Every structure is written in C-alpha cells, then in structure tokens.
C-alpha cells in the first residue's frame, strides 16, 4: 500500500522579495482595480522589472466584483502562465506565498506577483457584510447584523470565561501595537493610546470595545515570489521560506471557536522550519481582534492553550520589547484594507527580514513568523495559515 | 424580570410615523425550510436520513457523510447559552434603530451550537429553550427564552418584535354577528387589547349574543359590511389609522357543490363575502396597516384570515364554498407579498368544520367558537403565521403537506365504492 504520509519538501531555490504597501485611506471613491494596479506597478518598478516579466499572478480582494484575477490580467496588461485568485481574507497572504512558492519551485512560473487590495466606499462595508457568505446570510447576519464585531464578541466572551483573560490583557496587545504604529507613518491611527483609554472606550458589542476593532479602509499590499537566482541577478534583498502551513474548517465540532487550524499543524510547522519558537525574533499575527492574536500565541506553540493571558502579561510586545509583535501596528492601528489585511503582516515581515523596515525595524531580525486567519463564514474563522521566514543573512540565494 | 410595557399615549399627529425597516430578508432556498417551520412555531433543524447527524445552518449535503438526504425535523429546543454579546452598533437600519440587541451562541442538548436572539431574562450561561419564529422580514429566526416562564416575559423588547401580542393593541373583528366573532372579541379583550372594534352590518337587525358582546370591556361596535365597498371604505376612513390587528371573521358558508345548484346565485354570495369581501378589506385597511408596521408599542402587526382547511383541497359536499376559500387563500398569498416590507404578519388560520348551523349535520370533531378564538389569540401572542385549528384541520393539512395529489384523490372519491 502507498505511503499516505509523504514528507513535505522544502522551498529550496525560491525566495520572497520586494515588500510593497500602498498607504491606506479611510474612504476613497477609487475601486479595487485602482489599488491593485497601484501595488502591482510599485512591485514591478521596485524590482526593476517590466510588466511582461511577471509570469505568475495571485489576486486577493473582496471588492473586485464583477471581476476576478482573470479580468485583472486583461485590465492590467499581464500575460501570466500561472494565475490564482485567493479569496481567503486574512489567510490570503500566507496562502499566496505558499502557492506561488510551489509554482516557482516546479517551474510553472518564475516571477509571481502576489497582490491584495480593496476599495472602501462610504457604503461598501455594509454591502460586503450583507452578502458575505451563504451561512452568514442565512444564519448570522439576521441576528443583529453586528458583523465581525458581534461574531468576535462571542468568541471573546467565551475565551474570557474559559481561560480567565481580562480586558486589560487584550488591552496590552492593542496598546503595544499602537506604540508600534507610531513608528510606521502609513498607519491610519497614530494617536497615542493608553491602557486606561483602551479600558474606557465605548462598548461596540460587549465585551468588544472600540479599540478591539479594526477600521475598514482602502489599501493594497504586495510582494514577489521568485526564483532565487533571478532575484540575485536583479540584486534584490530576499527572504527565505523555511516552512508554511494552511488549514481550513479545523475542529468543526467545537461548539464555539477557541482554537484555530494552527493547533492542528504547528508541530509540522516547526519541524519543517528546523527552529523552535524561542528562536523567533518577531511575530506578525492576524489581529482583527486581540483575542485572535492571543489564540495564535497559543496555537502556534509560543505558549500552551489557556496560557495566552499569562504570556501577554509577562512580555513586552513592542518593537524594542522581549517579544516584538505586529511591528507596524497591525490592522488594529494601521487599518483593515479588506484582503490586504491578510497581507499586512507578511509584507511587514519581509521588510523586517530584508532590513528595510525603517522606523519599525527589529534589531538583528533573523527569523520571523507570520500567521493568517480568515473568513467568518458563519460563527468562526475558517481559514488559517502560517509561515516561518528567515533573513537571507549569508547572501545565499536560497 | 422584564419591565411591563406601558399603555402608549395618544399619538401626536404632527410627528412623522416611523417608517418600517427590516432585518435582513434574504435566505437561501434551503433555509426557507426553516422559515416554513418557524411560521408554524416549530423548532426544526436538518437531519441526515442516512447517518442521523443534525446540522445547521441549512446545507445541501450532510457534512458528516455527504448524503444529499437532509430533512427539516423537529428537535429538542433545550440548550445552554455558552457565549453572548450585546450588539451596540449595526450596519442594518432595523437593528440600528433598536440597539442594544442581545444575541448569543446556544449549545443545544441535541448537539449543535447555533446563533440566536437572546431574551433579556436568560441568565448568563443559563439554560434556555429555543423558539423559531418569523421576524419582521417574514423569515425564520431562533430566539432563546428562559427555561421557565417569568413575569411579563412577552414584553421583552426583542421577543415582542417576533410576536403580535394584542396587549395594548387595537383590534378589528370584521363581523361580530357570529359566535366566532363574539368569542374573538372576548378573547382579544381578555388578552389586553386597548380597543376591540367589532364590525356589524345592518346594525338595526338584532342577533343572539348582542348584549353580551356590547358588555365586553373595550369593545366598540362599528358599522361594517364587507359586501359593500362604500361601507368598508367609510369604516377604514374612520378607524383605519388605528387598527393594529385585523381579524376577518366574515364568512359565508353553504353546503353544496356545482350540479346541485341551478345557478350561481349562492356561489356569488360566497365569493362576495369570502373573496371580494376580503379584497375590499385588504384595499381599505391594508395601506394604513402597511404604513404603521413600526409605529411603536401599538404598531400594526397582524392580519388574520380565518380560512376553511378545504381551501387547500376541495371538499365536494361544501364544494362551492371550498372554491371561494381557495380563492381567498390565493388572495392571502398575494397580500403577504404586498405586505412584505411592512413587518405586518399575514396569519392564515385554517380550521375544520365549525360548531355552527351550517355544519350542524356533520359528525364531530368540530371546532367550537371558543377554541378557535383561544387558538387565534395564542397564535398572535406567540407570533405564528400558519396555524391549523382542530383535529380535522390538523389532519387535512398534514395529509396535504405529505402529498397534495393523494389528498385530492381521497377527498374526491365516492364513498362506499
């Protein structure tokens, strides 16, 4: 009988490069196409390429309708031989990275542009919520139409009761991210935030209060995945991919979500990477709400299940702290530009590991972990993913 | 304990009436099965015929075995609240106008967790019993109630959105000359209705029970003849702006089918009351009620059609009346569509033969006027849209749902052959 448990291959000869962030805006009349085009243009120029050199393309966007990645190729004049549309919200970045890496490794493409972006019109958030998924239309939106705030309020309420987390624990995460954001000029929220201000904020959907929530906005993020030898020819600063995981609809029988798919796959993540959590210099979690970041600390193996609150209390999460976390401020302070929110942590990680993070740079960052979480299809986030990345310190191109 | 709602004061005519807004109305085709059950007040989930797994939300296939054979089935409504939130901001105008709003996750004893509206008297992490009802958009939703009844629980803000409780509301009973009309007047008064308008045609003609009817608290007799367009329009002009619940008790029932009659005179009388009478009422009172679906504590909330269950499938010994009832049912479906968006429920109450002079030779079981009134009151208090009253109606509706074709063959076969 065949061996069903085949060992996974590494990502030899493939690198990620050219982190691009297009500064976010709260509202703009520009459509998703504008933001995606803008990011792709910066990507091509930043790499010193011509558009025709891009032979692989992934697109993530909630507001591109009626187009998909297909329409965008003609719109933007690309002629790729490999194309993927990745509608996985907060998991889109990690998933784009690992799909593109395999395509490059197998020779199906040489240079893949991974792009995510969304529009933000005055009424686009309501429109998106009301038609987000079939389960949401049938069974969650009719119950108060609180959107993700209400869904995550339930997860937070449950998590707080079960594991003894307090609002101050979540506040510590949000406050540290705001401090980080004040060193990232593109963050929409730059005003200093104290723990007291966090605690005193108005309730949105109890126990979620104002500073637990991200601000929907427009923006785009992008990066390249390419052959290491081509990157070397172009003289690009690159990042190595040590390992990745992806999982969908994990633990479907849990009555309410208090763990994500990472918990299923974390051993494989660290085994394949060949490092241990203590070696990691920074972590970029998907932070649509602080409770989800805390869950990622646990489920990625930085601490045991239920120890998230204590883990946070014992650490300094700022850029200069003992555990740098969401170094650009995360979505909580930068803003949530739709699917670009699923790229934000990854793009910031690429800046960190190429030494180009400027004000948010973690000193001597060698290893970084990025994790993604996406799509409240009904009552919980369905998609999860993570990647362990390493700076290309030796100049070795993979 | 819920604070009892107060009787609303007189409406200020200079203030604009709040326009009805709706909770989200779109549902997948499969999820409409939940709405159908909710309209009857049944709490159902899909069960897999092949592996027995219960599943929710509505799916096309079983997530345990991928069987396509999922069917809505009544399930144990007991459960426990395991997480909750009070929503204070919403993107939907209906909820935004009604903030804060309590919702939560309930773990059903049946083994499935569900999102639901939560009654204010449910304790944190408390035991609950679930109900399924249609909301203001006419679509099925779940609500968790406290396990045991508590005082004034019907007055809970969120529960009252799902019900058509007569308390503090103004009811019009279109024909008070019948025992059914009189029993309903009594039932509505007893349920706390602010005013019970009772329509009477040809008021100078006395009738049995007249004195008792006039003696019921809060009853006001109004002239109303559903066979006369002018009469209906005048009545609507007088009181149409303050009718919150309309119960159409005007019915014309006669035995007989087609060839036993020589002409269409009797059939025309049946249609004049059962079909055209209903249409006149809808044209007279419908627009006013539709505009007042969100008008506070005594908003317009329900229109009740009393329909013979033989509207579903013809009963030949009352064949012509059955046909007029079928016409009325079809009209009620159209009316539901036209009232959608107002938040006013169109309630169809199917009943079997009544305990009255026109069904006198028929064998039991028959529906007494008091039972009919009691069940209509219960349906309004609970917020049901489709009810069957009495054993005959329950039996016929069940057989109709099972197989309308077989029911027709059963009802139309010659006895003893």
């Amino acid at each position: 009988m065949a061996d069903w448990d085949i060992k996974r291959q590494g990502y030899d000869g493939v690198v990620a490069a050219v982190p691009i962030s297009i500064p976010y805006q709260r509202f703009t009349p520009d459509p998703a196409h504008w933001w995606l085009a803008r990011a792709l243009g910066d990507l091509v120029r930043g790499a010193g390429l011509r558009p025709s050199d891009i032979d692989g393309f992934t697109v993530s966007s909630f507001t591109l309708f009626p187009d998909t990645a297909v329409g965008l190729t003609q719109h933007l004049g690309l002629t790729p031989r490999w194309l993927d549309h990745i509608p996985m919200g907060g998991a889109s970045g990690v998933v784009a990275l690992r799909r593109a890496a395999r395509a490059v490794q197998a020779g199906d493409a040489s240079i893949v542009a991974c792009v995510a972006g969304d529009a933000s019109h005055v009424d686009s958030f309501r429109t998106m919520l009301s038609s987000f998924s079939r389960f949401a239309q049938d069974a969650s939106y009719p119950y108060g139409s609180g959107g993700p705030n209400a869904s995550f309020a339930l997860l937070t309420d449950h998590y707080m009761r079960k594991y003894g987390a307090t609002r101050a624990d979540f506040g510590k995460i949000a406050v540290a991210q705001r401090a980080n954001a004040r060193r990232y000029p593109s963050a929409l929220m730059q005003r200093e935030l104290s723990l007291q201000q966090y605690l005193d904020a108005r309730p949105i959907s109890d126990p979620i209060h104002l500073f637990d929530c991200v601000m929907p906005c427009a923006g785009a993020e992008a990066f390249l995945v390419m052959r290491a030898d081509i990157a070397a020819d172009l003289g690009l600063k690159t990042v190595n991919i040590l390992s990745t995981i992806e999982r969908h609809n994990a633990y479907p029988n849990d009555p309410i979500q208090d763990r994500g798919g990472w918990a299923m796959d974390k051993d494989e993540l660290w085994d394949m990477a060949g490092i241990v959590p203590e070696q990691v210099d920074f972590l970029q979690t998907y932070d649509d709400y602080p409770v989800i970041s805390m869950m990622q600390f646990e489920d990625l193996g930085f601490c045991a299940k239920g120890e998230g609150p204590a883990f946070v209390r014992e650490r300094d999460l700022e850029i200069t702290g003992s555990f740098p976390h969401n170094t650009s401020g995360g979505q909580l302070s930068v803003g949530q530009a739709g699917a670009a929110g699923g790229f934000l942590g990854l793009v910031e990680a690429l800046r960190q590991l190429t030494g180009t993070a400027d004000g948010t740079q973690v000193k001597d960052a060698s290893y970084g972990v990025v994790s993604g979480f996406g799509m409240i299809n009904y009552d919980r986030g369905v998609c999860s993913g993570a990647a362990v990345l390493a700076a290309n310190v030796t100049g070795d191109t993979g | 304990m819920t604070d009892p709602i107060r009787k609303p004061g007189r409406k200020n005519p200079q203030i604009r009436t709040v326009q009805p807004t709706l909770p989200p109305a779109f549902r997948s085709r499969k999820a409409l099965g939940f709405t159908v059950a909710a309209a009857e007040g049944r709490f159902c989930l899909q069960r897999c015929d092949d592996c027995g797994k219960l599943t929710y939300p509505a799916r096309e296939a079983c997530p345990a075995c991928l069987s396509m054979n999922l069917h809505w089935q009544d399930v144990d409504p007991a459960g426990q609240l395991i997480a909750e939130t009070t929503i204070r901001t919403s993107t939907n105008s209906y909820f935004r106008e009604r903030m804060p709003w309590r919702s939560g996750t309930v773990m059903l004893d049946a083994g499935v967790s569900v999102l639901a509206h939560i009654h204010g008297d449910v304790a944190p992490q408390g035991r609950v019993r679930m109900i399924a009802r249609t909301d203001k958009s006419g679509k099925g939703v779940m609500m968790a109630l406290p396990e045991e009844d508590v005082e004034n629980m019907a007055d809970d803000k969120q529960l009252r959105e799902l019900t058509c409780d007569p308390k503090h509301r103004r009811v019009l009973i279109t024909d008070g000359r019948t025992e059914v009309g009189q029993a309903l007047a009594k039932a509505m008064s007893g349920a706390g209705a602010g005013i019970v308008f009772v329509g009477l045609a040809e008021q100078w003609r006395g009738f049995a029970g007249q004195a008792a009817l006039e003696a019921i608290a809060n009853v006001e007799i109004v002239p109303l003849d559903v066979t006369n367009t002018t009469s209906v329009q005048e009545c609507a002009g007088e009181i149409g702006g303050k009718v919150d619940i309309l119960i159409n008790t005007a019915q014309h029932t006669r035995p007989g089918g087609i060839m036993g009659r020589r002409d269409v005179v009797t059939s025309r009388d049946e249609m004049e009351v059962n079909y055209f009478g209903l249409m006149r009422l809808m044209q007279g009172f419908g627009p006013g009620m539709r505009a007042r679906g969100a008008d506070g504590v005594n908003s317009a909330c329900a229109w009740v059609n009393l329909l013979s269950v033989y509207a579903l499938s013809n009963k030949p010994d009352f064949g012509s009346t059955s046909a007029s009832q079928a016409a009325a049912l079809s009209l009620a479906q159209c009316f539901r569509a036209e009232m959608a968006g107002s938040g006013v429920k169109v309630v169809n109450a199917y009943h079997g033969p009544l305990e009255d002079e026109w069904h006198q030779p028929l064998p039991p079981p028959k529906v007494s006027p008091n039972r009919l009134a009691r069940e209509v009151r219960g349906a309004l208090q609970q917020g049901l849209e489709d009810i069957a009253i009495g054993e005959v109606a329950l039996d016929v509706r069940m057989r109709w749902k099972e197989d309308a074709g077989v029911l027709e063959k059963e009802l139309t076969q010659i006895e003893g052959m």
Side-chain angles (χ1 to χ4, degrees), chain B residues 107-391:
Chain B
M107 185 67 201
L108 298 171
D109 292 356
V112 179
S113 62
V114 298
L115 283 183
H117 301 307
I118 311 294
H119 189 283
D121 286 321
V122 173
Q125 309 288 295
R127 293 285 303 168
V128 300
R129 67 191 141 105
M130 305 296 291
I131 56 169
R133 295 288 185 268
T134 51
D135 65 10
K136 292 287 184 193
S137 74
K139 299 296 162 50
V141 291
M142 298 180 181
M143 183 164 186
L145 305 182
E147 198 167 34
E148 306 289 341
D149 280 356
V150 294
E151 216 174 321
N152 306 318
M153 70 180 284
D155 290 355
D156 177 83
K157 181 188 77 173
Q158 290 181 218
L159 180 56
R160 196 168 158 101
E161 286 293 300
L162 302 182
T163 65
C164 305
D165 197 334
K167 183 177 175 182
H168 297 323
R169 285 195 165 102
R170 296 150 302 181
V171 183
L172 169 61
I173 289 159
T174 58
D175 183 5
R177 197 173 284 275
T178 63
E179 276 190 70
V180 164
Q182 293 159 23
L184 273 163
K186 204 171 156 194
M188 290 301 112
S189 176
I195 305 175
V196 182
F197 298 109
V198 178
L200 276 182
E202 301 171 337
Q203 278 191 63
W204 48 270
R205 269 200 306 131
F207 56 95
Q210 183 172 11
L213 174 66
E214 286 166 356
I216 297 169
N218 299 329
V219 160
E220 283 185 25
I221 305 292
V222 292
L224 178 59
D225 178 356
V226 302
T227 65
N228 181 324
T229 303
T230 307
S231 165
V232 173
Q233 286 179 347
E234 283 178 357
C235 184
E238 276 301 309
I239 64 167
K242 46 188 175 182
V243 171
D244 309 320
I245 296 173
L246 186 149
I247 305 174
N248 182 20
T249 54
Q251 275 191 332
H252 193 82
T253 301
R254 295 294 180 271
I258 302 164
M259 285 181 278
R261 295 179 183 174
R262 290 157 172 253
D263 53 37
V264 299
V265 173
T266 306
S267 301
R268 183 172 283 149
D269 287 346
E270 289 160 353
M271 291 297 281
E272 203 57 67
V273 176
N274 298 343
Y275 179 75
F276 290 115
L278 179 59
M279 192 151 183
R280 287 185 193 97
L281 289 169
M282 289 169 171
Q283 288 170 337
F285 289 89
M289 290 180 73
R290 187 166 60 180
R292 289 190 46 256
D295 196 14
V297 165
N298 53 3
S299 62
C301 66
W303 179 291
V304 183
N305 298 307
L306 302 183
L307 296 169
S308 163
V309 76
Y310 297 111
L312 298 175
S313 195
N314 194 285
K315 178 178 166 64
D317 55 345
F318 280 81
S320 178
T321 290
S322 294
S324 70
Q325 291 285 331
L329 170 57
S330 186
L331 198 66
Q333 291 170 337
C334 177
F335 192 56
R336 267 194 184 148
E338 293 189 16
M339 294 299 274
S342 71
V344 176
K345 285 185 186 180
V346 177
V347 181
N348 285 341
Y350 300 98
H351 57 81
L354 300 174
E355 207 67 83
D356 67 10
E357 70 265 40
W358 296 106
H359 299 94
Q360 170 256 319
L362 266 61
K366 290 186 273 189
V367 179
S368 73
N370 281 333
R371 176 169 181 190
L372 185 138
R374 195 169 64 239
E375 298 214 12
V376 168
R377 181 179 65 185
L380 289 169
Q381 288 171 330
Q382 291 179 63
L384 310 186
E385 278 185 38
D386 275 294
I387 61 166
I389 301 171
E391 291 72 17

Side-chain angles (χ1 to χ4, degrees), chain A residues 125-126 129 134-135 137-147 149-151 153-155 157-158 161 202-208 253-256 378-380, chain B residues 24 26-28 30-31 53 56-60 82-92 95 99 101 103-105 107 113-117 124-125 141-142:
Chain A
F125 189 65
R126 185 189 67 83
L129 287 188
R134 172 168 148 171
F135 280 6
Q137 282 181 328
D138 281 347
S140 70
Y141 199 58
Y143 294 91
S145 305
N149 292 331
S151 302
L154 295 173
L155 306 191
D157 179 57
H158 173 74
R161 286 176 203 279
R202 71 183 166 96
I204 300 295
S205 188
D206 311 16
I208 296 284
N253 295 321
D254 284 1
I256 186 165
Y378 166 48
D379 62 341
R380 62 192 70 196
Chain B
F26 183 82
R27 296 290 191 281
S28 67
K30 269 285 188 279
K53 185 180 174 70
Y56 182 83
R59 288 179 163 90
E60 304 294 328
I82 59 170
E84 67 170 288
T85 183
T86 302
I87 301 172
R88 296 169 195 278
T89 67
S90 175
T91 53
N92 170 283
F95 288 116
M99 295 282 113
W101 194 268
S103 76
T105 305
M107 185 67 201
S113 62
V114 298
L115 283 183
H117 301 307
Q125 309 288 295
V141 291
M142 298 180 181

